[in-house]
Amino acid sequence: MQAQLAHQMALAPTGNIMIACAMGAAALGVLALYFGALLSIVRSDLTGGMKLVWLAFALVAPFLGCLLWFLVGRHDSRRRAGIA
């Protein structure tokens, strides 16, 4: 029983390091999504008013706003540019 407890205690720091690395990678991914969406919104062919709406949405709700921009808004801006 003591050997098993000693083994678990030895593995505990390794698990914490793995969790910290995974959380760091997730945070970097969210930051990349955020800044990528902001740049994409600014560079899009949308009118100034629509850019402002998307930028405000991305700033108020960073993860959801950026995710929706890439799923909905970006395709909408390409379609509108072809019409105008």
Side-chain angles (χ1 to χ4, degrees):
M1 179 137 180
Q2 283 183 335
Q4 184 181 13
L5 183 60
H7 182 68
Q8 288 176 352
M9 295 287 286
L11 292 179
T14 305
N16 290 341
I17 292 171
M18 295 295 288
I19 290 171
C21 288
M23 290 182 71
L28 285 175
V30 169
L31 282 174
L33 176 74
Y34 181 68
F35 288 116
L38 292 179
L39 282 173
S40 179
I41 292 168
V42 170
R43 294 172 133 188
S44 70
D45 292 332
L46 292 174
T47 62
M50 282 306 294
K51 279 184 187 182
L52 187 63
V53 168
W54 275 107
L55 283 172
F57 190 53
L59 291 173
V60 171
F63 184 73
L64 181 63
C66 296
L67 193 64
L68 286 176
W69 165 254
F70 283 119
L71 293 176
V72 178
R74 198 165 143 187
H75 301 293
D76 188 44
S77 71
R78 287 183 186 161
R79 187 176 60 227
R80 287 178 192 247
I83 293 172

